[in-house]
Amino acid sequence: MADLSVQVAGVSFANPLIAASGTFGFGREYSEFYPLSRLGGISCKGITLMRRDGNPPPRIAETPSGILNAVGLQNPGVDAFIRDDLPWLKEQGTVVIANIAGNTVEEYCRMAEKLSETDVDMMEMNISCPNVKSGGVQFGTSCESVAHITRAVRAHCRKPLVVKLSPNVTDIASIAQAAEAEGADALSMINTLTGMKIDIYTRRPIIRNNTGGLSGAAVFPVAVRMVWQVSNAVKIPIIGMGGITTWEDAIEMLLAGATALQIGTVLFSDPYAPIKISEGVNRFLDENNIQSVTELTGAVKPW
Amino acid sequence: MKYDVRQLGLISNEEIAAGIFDMKLAYGENKIPVVCGQFAHVYVPGKSLRRPISVCDARNGVLRLVYQVKGEGTRIMSQMKPGASVDVLAPLGNGFRIQSGRRYALIGGGIGVPPMLYTAAKCEDPLVITGFRDASLVILQDDFRRAGAEPLLCTDNGSVGKKGFVTGLLREKMEQVDEICACGPLPMLRAIAELCKEFGKPCQVSLEERMACGVGACLVCAVRVQKNGEELMQHVCKNGPVFNAEEVVWNG
């Protein structure tokens, strides 16, 4: 049994597999499949200052090796999360990451204040949601706006702060550097790639929001490339995600430069995927006489 | 653990009408009991999403799924052969609430007919109304008879049974029943909900929406409902698929 534990920004994870925000709710449903302590952590459904109902349906479309979604940050609001979900989550024996999203910088700051008073383990600042009209990705697509919001939220956030990056940018490495320079403790990447699917008979987009975020195996090579580029540009740890489906994908993402991993879309076809991936990674380490999973991080040998 | 994914042996998978298939899976007797109106989430090799299919029947250790080939996923399902192992997450969702001592009208339209078979088997002397576009799509009539319910039949074009919609038959029979359960296309369900409101009869409707996780985590299959005067989003997979018709915001 190799050592699967990892550290991200001073927080210890029993293994590098974290459930990705938006695919796992606040964990209750998947706790009916397996104990959540088998996961390294949970990144909670994105929460906003006030309750949001999200977008009208349809909110999802299947695409080759992936899905498009536009849920639109449906959530009960930060106060309800702290009151109704966090106490239960903290009893599950896994790292709890609160994913926060806002319409304004001020909203992010107020949520960071509120969550700093709780026993949330980390905060993941979502400046990359492509499916909401205001806020979301608009904060994450230029170095100036990323620097501005990271600096502002950093001043209110007394927990390790993870900045979740959008892939819908021209130069993700410089955006990552902007977040690092303003005090981000870690980065998580990639959020979904904006996409679209049209019903050729009705000529309507399948998703009511017209566009949605592409995730799943289809985006995996893009995610690996971006994690690799960013890992070469920053010193802070990266939580890698984007289409990880098998344990081989997990190894690949670690080699590209990730310290921990988030698992999302694959849950929809296989709810046990994080457990299987964790077991596969452990087997790979044992078979290759690697003592600790941390030895894989950034160990790609580029040409 | 409340949920379980199981590999079920495929007993048969036959086309029973144009593009409509009848899949029978060995469910076994010692599994989680299935409530009528619940659904099964079927893994399709090579696809990112499972296919949610309402349970047509779950008696005698056989899980029966009657589904229409609508796209690539259901086409792949239709090609699965007897002896194959099918990865199924079931049962999911909240089904029809059937109380003893009440007479139910069970109404199915098109591919909404299958869940009414298992529901009929759970009711005392139900009134079953089935509607289809035309004669080529009629299914399960003998199955209802074997379950002890003589189904009324109508088609949009009158090619078999009575010409017209299920709502016409329901209106004629409304005085004979206490409560209505329905599954079918949204315009049909909306019309049934209005009719039940007119007659002051409670109505349960089974809704459909594009779905991902199947258990209420991803919040994709949203449906707008009103509870205690407040509108909110619920989800077909976890809160439904069966909802009280008067709680559904039909233009939501």
Side-chain angles (χ1 to χ4, degrees):
Chain A
M1 179 84 195
D3 183 3
L4 287 179
S5 68
V6 298
Q7 300 260 328
V8 177
V11 178
S12 296
F13 294 74
N15 66 59
L17 280 306
I18 302 167
S21 179
T23 63
F24 211 76
F26 299 139
R28 289 185 199 267
E29 292 78 15
Y30 284 95
S31 76
E32 300 284 359
F33 285 99
Y34 42 79
L36 300 183
S37 57
R38 300 197 55 188
L39 302 173
I42 296 171
S43 179
C44 297
K45 171 68 190 169
I47 48 180
T48 50
L49 189 59
M50 309 302 287
R51 181 188 114 177
R52 280 180 63 98
D53 284 352
N55 295 326
R59 293 174 169 184
I60 190 163
E62 194 172 38
T63 59
S65 298
I67 56 170
L68 289 170
N69 90 83
V71 171
L73 288 173
Q74 181 185 341
N75 80 96
V78 66
D79 293 332
F81 167 74
I82 292 169
R83 185 186 65 233
D84 302 334
D85 297 290
L86 186 55
W88 179 86
L89 267 167
K90 283 298 294 179
E91 291 170 3
Q92 304 308 308
T94 192
V95 172
V96 178
I97 305 172
N99 179 293
I100 58 172
N103 294 316
T104 62
V105 172
E106 151 89 329
E107 286 184 4
Y108 282 93
C109 292
R110 286 179 61 192
M111 277 188 283
E113 272 301 337
K114 284 172 183 273
L115 288 162
S116 291
E117 299 296 322
T118 71
D119 49 9
V120 150
D121 296 296
M122 311 180 94
M123 279 183 237
E124 181 177 54
M125 183 169 74
N126 179 0
I127 50 170
S128 42
C129 179
N131 299 325
V132 291
K133 283 199 172 60
S134 62
V137 74
Q138 77 182 47
F139 295 114
T141 48
S142 80
C143 292
E144 294 72 29
S145 59
V146 169
H148 173 68
I149 194 167
T150 305
R151 186 184 323 126
V153 173
R154 175 77 282 172
H156 294 269
C157 178
R158 297 182 295 282
K159 302 278 183 181
L161 178 63
V162 183
V163 175
K164 185 169 180 179
L165 302 183
S166 171
N168 303 305
V169 296
T170 48
D171 181 5
I172 197 163
S174 59
I175 289 193
Q177 288 170 329
E180 181 182 41
E182 296 297 343
D185 297 303
L187 302 169
S188 60
M189 57 187 290
I190 57 174
N191 205 320
T192 54
L193 286 141
T194 308
M196 188 171 189
K197 184 174 173 65
I198 300 167
D199 182 322
I200 60 170
Y201 298 104
T202 63
R203 303 189 177 189
R204 292 278 200 187
I206 303 281
I207 291 184
R208 188 70 178 273
N209 190 52
N210 293 322
T211 61
L214 180 66
S215 64
V219 310
F220 179 66
V222 179
V224 171
R225 182 267 293 180
M226 288 187 156
V227 166
W228 180 61
Q229 286 180 326
V230 167
S231 73
N232 287 317
V234 300
K235 293 189 176 61
I236 52 179
I238 297 168
I239 302 172
M241 78 189 90
I244 297 172
T245 304
T246 64
W247 65 263
E248 290 95 332
D249 296 341
I251 303 284
E252 199 176 331
M253 187 62 91
L254 294 164
L255 291 172
T259 297
L261 307 166
Q262 286 188 15
I263 306 295
T265 301
V266 66
L267 287 162
F268 301 153
S269 52
D270 184 3
Y272 301 97
I275 312 294
K276 292 179 185 168
I277 291 171
S278 177
E279 289 168 355
V281 168
N282 182 55
R283 228 172 17 249
F284 175 85
L285 295 175
D286 284 347
E287 284 168 10
N288 291 280
N289 295 315
I290 301 167
Q291 307 298 312
S292 163
V293 69
T294 58
E295 293 173 41
L296 296 174
T297 296
V300 60
K301 296 189 270 187
W303 297 100
Chain B
M1 300 283 113
K2 181 173 155 192
Y3 298 128
D4 202 5
V5 175
R6 288 178 187 270
Q7 310 299 318
L8 303 182
L10 196 154
I11 299 164
S12 62
N13 191 19
E14 289 163 8
E15 189 166 14
I16 56 170
I20 295 174
F21 286 76
D22 182 354
M23 180 182 278
K24 290 177 179 160
L25 299 161
Y27 191 65
E29 301 290 353
N30 57 347
K31 310 277 171 65
I32 306 168
V34 181
V35 174
C36 57
Q38 286 189 301
F39 70 96
H41 220 18
V42 181
Y43 174 74
V44 180
K47 304 300 288 182
S48 300
L49 297 174
R50 288 171 177 265
R51 266 42 183 183
I53 311 286
S54 61
V55 172
C56 171
D57 205 349
R59 290 173 291 169
N60 307 315
V62 175
L63 186 70
R64 188 174 177 194
L65 307 176
V66 172
Y67 59 97
Q68 185 171 25
V69 172
K70 283 213 166 174
E72 205 184 319
T74 41
R75 187 181 54 75
I76 295 169
M77 276 180 68
S78 74
Q79 292 162 350
M80 293 175 175
K81 299 275 185 270
S85 177
V86 184
D87 180 307
V88 178
L89 168 54
L92 295 179
N94 293 301
F96 291 108
R97 294 165 300 281
I98 304 298
Q99 297 167 359
S100 60
R102 286 175 80 75
R103 184 157 198 244
Y104 288 87
L106 309 180
I107 305 172
I111 201 61
V113 169
M116 292 313 173
L117 177 61
Y118 190 41
T119 312
K122 298 288 179 183
C123 291
E124 300 152 23
D125 185 30
L127 171 75
V128 175
I129 304 175
T130 60
F132 303 90
R133 275 211 316 280
D134 69 67
S136 70
L137 297 169
V138 173
I139 51 170
L140 301 175
Q141 302 295 299
D142 286 336
D143 295 88
F144 279 107
R145 287 184 195 109
R146 280 194 290 272
E150 180 63 35
L152 302 178
L153 172 64
C154 59
T155 50
D156 296 2
N157 59 10
S159 52
V160 64
K162 192 173 161 115
K163 183 175 193 296
F165 296 136
V166 292
T167 40
L169 283 171
L170 177 61
R171 181 178 279 280
E172 289 171 22
K173 308 280 183 183
M174 195 61 110
E175 301 301 340
Q176 301 175 15
V177 299
D178 301 308
E179 184 164 356
I180 292 84
C181 297
C183 184
L186 201 64
M188 180 196 106
L189 296 179
R190 189 189 294 133
I192 289 171
E194 282 168 12
L195 196 58
C196 291
K197 197 171 178 185
E198 183 187 326
F199 282 82
K201 300 273 166 88
C203 176
Q204 305 175 42
V205 291
S206 177
L207 302 182
E208 191 172 46
E209 188 49 72
R210 285 175 184 265
M211 188 180 287
C213 73
V215 296
C218 74
L219 310 183
V220 158
C221 54
V223 54
R224 187 171 284 279
V225 300
Q226 49 188 353
K227 281 188 182 289
N228 310 318
E230 189 190 20
E231 284 194 9
L232 66 152
M233 286 295 196
Q234 288 199 328
H235 297 88
V236 168
C237 70
K238 188 178 186 178
N239 308 105
V242 176
F243 292 85
N244 287 328
E246 63 266 32
E247 289 183 350
V248 176
V249 179
W250 292 100
N251 56 1

Coordinates of all heavy atoms in Angstrom, one line a residue, chain B residues 34-40 53-58 91-98 112-120 122 181-183 204-207 236-237 239-243:
Chain B
V34 N -39.2 -2.4 -5.7 CA -39.4 -1.3 -6.6 C -40.9 -0.8 -6.4 O -41.8 -1.6 -6.3 CB -39.3 -1.8 -8.1 CG1 -39.6 -0.6 -9.0 CG2 -37.9 -2.4 -8.3
V35 N -41.0 0.5 -6.3 CA -42.3 1.1 -6.2 C -42.8 1.5 -7.6 O -41.9 1.9 -8.4 CB -42.3 2.4 -5.3 CG1 -43.6 3.1 -5.3 CG2 -41.8 2.0 -3.9
C36 N -44.1 1.3 -7.9 CA -44.5 1.6 -9.2 C -44.3 3.1 -9.5 O -44.5 4.0 -8.6 CB -46.0 1.3 -9.4 SG -47.1 2.0 -8.2
G37 N -43.8 3.4 -10.7 CA -43.5 4.8 -11.1 C -42.0 5.2 -10.9 O -41.6 6.2 -11.3
Q38 N -41.3 4.3 -10.2 CA -39.8 4.5 -10.1 C -39.1 4.3 -11.4 O -39.7 3.7 -12.3 CB -39.2 3.7 -9.0 CG -39.6 4.1 -7.6 CD -38.8 3.4 -6.5 OE1 -38.9 2.2 -6.4 NE2 -38.1 4.1 -5.7
F39 N -37.9 4.6 -11.5 CA -37.1 4.4 -12.7 C -35.8 3.7 -12.5 O -35.3 3.6 -11.4 CB -36.9 5.7 -13.5 CG -36.0 6.7 -12.9 CD1 -34.7 6.7 -13.3 CD2 -36.4 7.6 -11.9 CE1 -33.8 7.7 -12.8 CE2 -35.5 8.5 -11.4 CZ -34.2 8.5 -11.8
A40 N -35.3 3.2 -13.6 CA -33.9 2.5 -13.6 C -33.0 3.4 -14.5 O -33.4 3.9 -15.5 CB -34.0 1.1 -14.2
I53 N -35.0 5.1 -17.5 CA -36.1 4.4 -18.1 C -37.1 4.0 -17.0 O -36.7 3.4 -16.0 CB -35.7 3.1 -18.8 CG1 -34.5 3.4 -19.8 CG2 -36.9 2.5 -19.6 CD1 -34.8 4.1 -21.0
S54 N -38.4 4.4 -17.1 CA -39.3 4.1 -16.0 C -39.6 2.6 -16.0 O -39.5 1.9 -17.0 CB -40.6 4.8 -16.2 OG -41.2 4.5 -17.5
V55 N -39.8 2.1 -14.8 CA -40.0 0.6 -14.6 C -41.4 0.3 -15.2 O -42.4 0.8 -14.7 CB -39.8 0.2 -13.2 CG1 -40.2 -1.2 -13.0 CG2 -38.4 0.5 -12.7
C56 N -41.4 -0.6 -16.1 CA -42.7 -1.1 -16.7 C -43.3 -2.2 -15.8 O -44.5 -2.2 -15.5 CB -42.5 -1.7 -18.1 SG -43.9 -2.5 -18.8
D57 N -42.4 -3.0 -15.2 CA -42.9 -4.1 -14.3 C -41.8 -4.6 -13.5 O -40.6 -4.5 -13.9 CB -43.5 -5.2 -15.1 CG -44.5 -6.0 -14.3 OD1 -44.7 -5.8 -13.1 OD2 -45.2 -6.9 -14.9
A58 N -42.1 -5.0 -12.3 CA -41.0 -5.6 -11.4 C -41.5 -6.7 -10.6 O -41.1 -7.0 -9.5 CB -40.5 -4.5 -10.5
P91 N -33.8 0.7 -7.8 CA -34.8 1.7 -8.3 C -34.5 3.1 -7.8 O -33.9 3.3 -6.7 CB -36.1 1.2 -7.7 CG -35.6 0.6 -6.4 CD -34.3 0.0 -6.6
L92 N -34.8 4.1 -8.6 CA -34.6 5.5 -8.2 C -35.9 6.3 -8.2 O -36.8 6.0 -9.0 CB -33.6 6.1 -9.2 CG -32.2 5.6 -9.3 CD1 -31.3 6.3 -10.3 CD2 -31.5 5.7 -7.9
G93 N -35.9 7.4 -7.5 CA -37.0 8.3 -7.5 C -38.2 7.9 -6.7 O -38.2 6.9 -6.0
N94 N -39.2 8.8 -6.6 CA -40.4 8.6 -5.9 C -41.5 8.2 -6.9 O -41.8 8.9 -7.8 CB -40.8 9.8 -5.1 CG -39.8 10.1 -4.0 OD1 -39.6 9.3 -3.1 ND2 -39.2 11.3 -4.1
G95 N -42.1 7.0 -6.6 CA -43.1 6.6 -7.6 C -44.5 7.1 -7.2 O -44.7 8.0 -6.4
F96 N -45.5 6.4 -7.8 CA -46.9 6.8 -7.5 C -47.3 6.3 -6.1 O -46.9 5.2 -5.7 CB -47.8 6.1 -8.5 CG -47.7 6.7 -9.9 CD1 -47.1 5.9 -10.9 CD2 -48.2 7.9 -10.2 CE1 -47.0 6.4 -12.2 CE2 -48.1 8.5 -11.5 CZ -47.5 7.7 -12.5
R97 N -48.0 7.2 -5.4 CA -48.5 6.8 -4.0 C -49.9 6.2 -4.2 O -50.8 6.9 -4.5 CB -48.5 8.0 -3.1 CG -47.1 8.6 -2.9 CD -47.1 10.0 -2.3 NE -47.7 10.9 -3.2 CZ -47.1 11.5 -4.3 NH1 -45.9 11.1 -4.6 NH2 -47.8 12.3 -5.0
I98 N -50.0 4.9 -4.0 CA -51.2 4.2 -4.1 C -51.8 3.8 -2.8 O -51.1 3.1 -2.0 CB -51.0 2.9 -5.0 CG1 -50.4 3.3 -6.4 CG2 -52.3 2.2 -5.2 CD1 -51.2 4.2 -7.2
G112 N -45.4 6.8 -22.4 CA -45.7 7.0 -21.0 C -46.6 5.8 -20.5 O -47.0 5.8 -19.3
V113 N -47.0 4.9 -21.4 CA -47.9 3.8 -21.0 C -47.2 2.8 -20.1 O -47.8 2.3 -19.1 CB -48.5 3.1 -22.2 CG1 -49.2 1.8 -21.8 CG2 -49.5 4.1 -22.9
P114 N -45.9 2.4 -20.4 CA -45.3 1.3 -19.7 C -45.3 1.4 -18.1 O -45.7 0.4 -17.5 CB -43.9 1.3 -20.2 CG -44.0 1.7 -21.6 CD -45.1 2.8 -21.6
P115 N -45.0 2.5 -17.5 CA -45.0 2.5 -16.0 C -46.4 2.3 -15.4 O -46.6 1.9 -14.3 CB -44.5 3.9 -15.6 CG -44.7 4.8 -16.9 CD -44.5 3.8 -18.0
M116 N -47.5 2.5 -16.3 CA -48.8 2.2 -15.8 C -49.1 0.7 -15.6 O -50.1 0.4 -14.9 CB -49.8 2.9 -16.7 CG -49.7 4.4 -16.7 SD -49.7 4.9 -15.0 CE -49.4 6.6 -15.1
L117 N -48.3 -0.1 -16.2 CA -48.6 -1.6 -16.1 C -48.3 -2.0 -14.6 O -49.2 -2.6 -14.0 CB -47.8 -2.4 -17.1 CG -47.9 -3.9 -16.9 CD1 -49.3 -4.3 -17.2 CD2 -46.9 -4.6 -17.9
Y118 N -47.1 -1.7 -14.1 CA -46.8 -2.1 -12.8 C -47.7 -1.4 -11.8 O -48.1 -1.9 -10.7 CB -45.3 -1.8 -12.5 CG -44.8 -2.3 -11.2 CD1 -45.1 -3.6 -10.8 CD2 -43.9 -1.5 -10.5 CE1 -44.5 -4.1 -9.6 CE2 -43.3 -2.0 -9.3 CZ -43.7 -3.3 -8.9 OH -43.1 -3.8 -7.7
T119 N -48.1 -0.1 -12.1 CA -49.0 0.6 -11.3 C -50.3 -0.1 -11.2 O -50.9 -0.2 -10.1 CB -49.1 2.1 -11.8 OG1 -47.8 2.6 -12.0 CG2 -49.8 3.0 -10.8
A120 N -50.8 -0.5 -12.4 CA -52.1 -1.2 -12.4 C -52.1 -2.5 -11.5 O -53.1 -2.8 -10.8 CB -52.4 -1.6 -13.9
K122 N -50.6 -2.8 -8.9 CA -50.6 -2.4 -7.5 C -51.9 -1.8 -7.0 O -52.0 -1.4 -5.9 CB -49.4 -1.4 -7.2 CG -48.0 -2.0 -7.5 CD -47.6 -2.9 -6.4 CE -46.2 -3.5 -6.7 NZ -45.9 -4.5 -5.7
C181 N -53.6 9.0 -11.9 CA -52.1 8.9 -12.1 C -51.8 8.9 -13.6 O -52.5 8.2 -14.3 CB -51.5 7.6 -11.5 SG -51.8 7.5 -9.7
A182 N -50.9 9.8 -14.0 CA -50.7 9.9 -15.4 C -49.2 10.0 -15.8 O -48.4 10.5 -15.0 CB -51.4 11.1 -16.0
C183 N -48.9 9.4 -17.0 CA -47.5 9.5 -17.5 C -47.6 9.7 -19.0 O -48.4 8.9 -19.7 CB -46.7 8.3 -17.1 SG -45.0 8.4 -17.7
Q204 N -51.6 12.7 -9.8 CA -50.2 12.6 -9.7 C -49.7 12.4 -11.2 O -50.2 11.6 -11.9 CB -49.8 11.3 -8.9 CG -50.4 11.3 -7.5 CD -50.0 9.9 -6.8 OE1 -48.9 9.4 -6.9 NE2 -51.0 9.4 -6.1
V205 N -48.6 13.1 -11.5 CA -48.1 13.1 -12.9 C -46.6 12.7 -12.8 O -45.8 13.1 -11.9 CB -48.2 14.4 -13.6 CG1 -49.6 14.7 -13.9 CG2 -47.5 15.5 -12.8
S206 N -46.2 11.8 -13.7 CA -44.8 11.4 -13.8 C -44.1 12.2 -14.9 O -44.5 12.2 -16.1 CB -44.7 9.9 -14.2 OG -43.3 9.5 -14.4
L207 N -43.1 13.0 -14.6 CA -42.5 13.9 -15.5 C -41.1 13.4 -16.0 O -40.5 12.5 -15.4 CB -42.2 15.3 -14.8 CG -43.5 16.0 -14.2 CD1 -43.1 17.4 -13.6 CD2 -44.5 16.2 -15.3
V236 N -36.5 16.0 -11.1 CA -37.2 14.8 -11.5 C -36.7 13.6 -10.9 O -37.4 12.7 -10.5 CB -37.2 14.7 -13.1 CG1 -37.8 13.3 -13.5 CG2 -38.1 15.8 -13.7
C237 N -35.3 13.5 -10.8 CA -34.7 12.2 -10.3 C -35.0 12.0 -8.8 O -35.2 10.8 -8.4 CB -33.3 12.2 -10.7 SG -32.2 13.3 -9.7
N239 N -36.9 14.3 -6.4 CA -38.2 14.6 -5.8 C -39.3 13.9 -6.6 O -40.4 13.7 -6.1 CB -38.4 16.2 -5.9 CG -37.2 16.9 -5.3 OD1 -36.4 17.5 -6.0 ND2 -37.1 16.9 -4.0
G240 N -39.0 13.6 -7.9 CA -40.0 12.9 -8.7 C -39.5 11.5 -9.0 O -38.9 11.0 -8.1
P241 N -39.8 10.9 -10.1 CA -40.4 11.6 -11.3 C -41.9 11.9 -11.1 O -42.5 12.6 -11.8 CB -40.2 10.5 -12.4 CG -40.1 9.2 -11.7 CD -39.4 9.5 -10.4
V242 N -42.5 11.3 -10.0 CA -43.9 11.6 -9.8 C -44.1 12.8 -8.9 O -43.5 12.9 -7.8 CB -44.6 10.3 -9.2 CG1 -46.1 10.6 -8.9 CG2 -44.5 9.1 -10.1
F243 N -44.9 13.7 -9.4 CA -45.2 15.0 -8.6 C -46.7 15.1 -8.5 O -47.5 14.6 -9.3 CB -44.7 16.2 -9.4 CG -43.2 16.3 -9.4 CD1 -42.5 15.6 -10.4 CD2 -42.5 17.1 -8.5 CE1 -41.1 15.7 -10.5 CE2 -41.1 17.1 -8.6 CZ -40.4 16.5 -9.6

